[in-house]
Amino acid sequence: MADLEEILKDVEPLVAQSLQAVSNAAGLDELDRIRVAALGKKGSISALMAQLGSVPADLRKEAGARLNTAKVAVSEAIEARKTALEEARLDERLARERVDVTLPARAADIGRIHPVSQTIDEVVAIFGQMGFAVAEGPDIEDDFHNFTALNFPPEHPARMMHDTFFLPEKADGTRHLLRTHTSPVQVRTMLKQKPPIRVIIPGRTYRCDSDMTHTPMFHQVEGLVIDKTTHMGHLKGCLIEFVKTYFEVDDVPVRFRPSFFPFTEPSAEVDIGCSRAGGELKIGAGADWLEILGCGMVHPNVLRNCGIDPDEYQGFAFGMGLERIAMLKYGIPDLRTFFDSDLRWLKHYGFVPLDVPTLSGGLTR
Ligand code: DAH
């Protein structure tokens, strides 16, 4: 027969010791070890309960109640501690894994936008604001669209000046060619669309030429406006506005110099003011001029070749080299580097993908 006093004298210290251990437990694993040590099959409180059977029947009830109270006290303390530890663990995890949604997106590792693409986006943003739509045409052209419809007479030296890449001759004696300028898309646009027309045409162009300032493939952007009363004043206003917005310089002087193109009459070349003081090129008022584009009023022959009556309609056109205006704006010294596919160059001169140029948000940031 177990001695009741003997059993119960151990209960209080056991409970006190367990509660102490529970409140000191630093983690869930440790807490579980304490639970097993007190309440598990071979635990200290369970061991006392196992002795109940040998307590005299008249005392067993009271002894059982006291042991049960002890067991409940320890298991409730363990539960409470468990909840507190779990909450602390969750808080710590939430703090550790917190995402600051106001941080800027990390764009550095996802590549760069090539200066040619950036320049096309900027030009499209500027002319888009003025109401121009974007038109496109094929890189492989025929003689009609690239030359004849644009009023280049047969055997005209301008055809030679373009250093054309011809494709092999076909059975009928004609040869396709790689377009030497974006102007054939003027022809394609006028042939399929009735005036009013207001388009810009960015695209690749090809000439058999290669040095510091020429590559066999390069890019141009063409503009075409056809309406009933469009005149040279509109051409000037439109291009001056473009130059100021594109170069982000308000006081840039713009000069229209008489020139010749078969497809425009009158024709002009446009120069912008710059300074080369201290060996550094700066766009804006200065002692020097830089040529940036060709333009003019669309020649009546061209309108006629495209099925538009020159007695009813008139308009202007312009064309410029995209690499050239990119080199001037971004200080890129050598044209050939545009097409070297050198990632270090792209990292240096390229643009962050998320900075899409807009007039409201800024062309370049
Ligand atoms: N097509 C010309 C060239 O490649 C550029 C040009 C000049 C285009 C005058 C035009 C223009 O539309 O009006 O040199």
Side-chain angles (χ1 to χ4, degrees), residues 75-88:
S75 68
E76 278 179 355
I78 288 173
E79 271 316 302
R81 183 75 186 137
K82 192 175 166 204
T83 308
L85 285 173
E86 280 171 348
E87 273 173 12

Side-chain angles (χ1 to χ4, degrees), residues 83-344:
T83 308
L85 285 173
E86 280 171 348
E87 273 173 12
R89 189 158 77 169
L90 184 63
D91 285 348
E92 185 267 332
R93 201 177 138 204
L94 286 174
R96 181 162 34 90
E97 294 179 5
R98 199 175 130 202
V99 175
D100 182 352
V101 293
T102 65
L103 280 177
R106 243 172 288 153
D109 293 338
I110 54 176
R112 292 287 156 130
I113 300 295
H114 194 281
V116 168
S117 305
Q118 168 79 15
T119 305
I120 291 176
D121 288 349
E122 292 180 27
V123 169
V124 167
I126 297 167
F127 285 107
Q129 180 89 352
M130 295 188 212
F132 283 72
V134 175
E136 283 178 319
D139 289 16
I140 297 176
E141 270 295 4
D142 52 27
D143 179 272
F144 174 76
H145 292 91
N146 198 80
F147 292 123
T148 306
L150 289 165
N151 200 36
F152 285 80
E155 313 306 329
H156 191 283
R159 292 190 186 221
M160 301 298 119
M161 270 160 52
H162 276 206
D163 300 310
T164 313
F165 283 113
F166 287 99
L167 275 71
E169 201 171 289
K170 292 192 292 181
D172 65 3
T174 61
R175 292 195 289 183
H176 277 96
L177 48 86
L178 296 181
R179 66 180 179 193
T180 58
H181 50 178
T182 40
S183 306
V185 190
Q186 285 188 30
V187 176
R188 292 184 175 276
T189 305
M190 287 188 276
L191 283 172
K192 68 168 188 261
Q193 187 185 326
K194 290 277 147 261
I197 293 171
R198 208 184 291 172
V199 289
I200 50 161
I201 303 144
R204 291 176 186 220
T205 49
Y206 305 84
R207 287 184 204 179
C208 187
D209 206 353
S210 185
D211 58 35
M212 262 281 274
T213 52
H214 298 89
T215 48
M217 189 279 296
F218 58 105
H219 297 77
Q220 288 188 337
V221 62
E222 189 88 11
L224 176 71
V225 174
I226 306 287
D227 210 335
K228 291 193 168 157
T229 56
T230 304
H231 55 69
M232 196 91 184
H234 296 132
L235 165 63
K236 285 191 75 177
C238 172
L239 291 177
I240 291 170
E241 184 63 26
F242 165 75
V243 164
K244 286 185 184 170
T245 315
Y246 174 75
F247 287 105
E248 299 173 85
V249 183
D250 265 345
D251 66 343
V252 57
V254 183
R255 175 171 84 174
F256 287 71
R257 199 166 23 80
S259 183
F260 171 80
F261 301 102
F263 36 90
T264 43
E265 181 58 38
S267 305
E269 277 173 322
V270 171
D271 302 332
I272 54 172
C274 67
S275 83
R276 290 200 169 86
E280 199 202 338
L281 176 70
K282 227 175 125 232
I283 306 295
D288 282 314
W289 295 95
L290 269 171
E291 181 200 319
I292 59 155
L293 61 88
C295 62
M297 298 306 294
V298 178
H299 197 293
N301 287 350
V302 175
L303 293 173
R304 221 171 276 123
N305 291 339
C306 298
I308 293 177
D309 180 0
D311 292 328
E312 191 180 356
Y313 290 104
Q314 57 188 37
F316 65 80
F318 57 88
M320 64 191 141
L322 279 167
E323 286 85 358
R324 181 166 170 78
I325 62 168
M327 287 166 81
L328 293 174
K329 181 165 175 180
Y330 297 115
I332 306 173
D334 187 337
L335 172 67
R336 291 169 298 193
T337 57
F338 275 74
F339 309 112
D340 281 345
S341 302
D342 184 335
L343 288 178
R344 292 164 302 178

